[in-house]
Amino acid sequence: MAPIPGSGLAKGLAVTLRTMTRKSVTEHYPDTQPELPPRTRGVIGLFEENCTVCMLCARECPDWCIYIDSHKETVPAATPGGRERSRNVLDRFAIDFSLCMYCGICIEVCPFDALFWSPEFEYSETDIRDLTHERDKLREWMWTVPAPPALDPAAEEPKELAAARKNAEKLAAQQTDRPGQEGRE
């Protein structure tokens, strides 16, 4: 059976009329903040206390937009007769967001969880040179990072917690088996 001439046009007009009669869902952005998902990729925040200056983030960055400067510092021995240790001290940590492509590789490779995604996206500047955020600005973004999602209650307990609980129960059982021995020592 041959299609009725003009049926495609009628269907198209019906869709247009249906769309025209619906209420608009346009959000007026500067006046109304958008509802973003909780784990939106906006800007990268730095938790400086966790950074060990391993430089993995800078090495793995495909855009080379992370700049890190550090120096070595000698730490005195913790015990008498021990040896001195050296550690890296962070002098500069900066991310050039005019180069960043927001791939998240730096966050994934950080072994000490020093970098996090913040949902903040309003950090435009009139001068491109101001898009290089130093560590104090990156630290400010940390306060906007949402808490991680809650663990699934049906999931099994992490192995580390199970091992620690087992050791604690074992020690408690040993202490109850030998009551009063602590006073004789």
Side-chain angles (χ1 to χ4, degrees), residues 4-71:
I4 301 172
S7 64
L9 179 65
K11 286 181 186 178
L13 287 172
V15 169
T16 303
L17 287 172
R18 211 173 321 131
T19 306
M20 285 176 53
T21 57
R22 282 193 205 140
K23 184 180 177 189
S24 176
V25 292
T26 303
E27 294 182 20
H28 300 284
Y29 163 64
D31 302 326
T32 309
Q33 291 297 319
E35 290 290 326
L36 298 174
R39 286 300 188 185
T40 300
R41 289 184 178 189
V43 68
I44 297 170
L46 171 69
F47 189 55
E48 195 174 330
E49 289 77 17
N50 285 0
C51 184
T52 61
V53 197
C54 66
M55 302 210 185
L56 275 175
C57 54
R59 280 188 296 217
E60 295 297 324
C61 179
D63 291 332
W64 292 79
C65 65
I66 299 175
Y67 311 110
I68 301 174
D69 292 331
S70 67
H71 69 276

Side-chain angles (χ1 to χ4, degrees), residues 129-151:
R129 291 173 289 197
D130 293 335
L131 282 172
T132 300
H133 293 183
E134 297 292 332
R135 69 182 183 179
D136 56 337
K137 183 71 172 172
L138 295 172
R139 188 181 315 117
E140 288 175 23
W141 295 118
M142 257 322 282
W143 308 119
T144 62
V145 173
L151 296 175

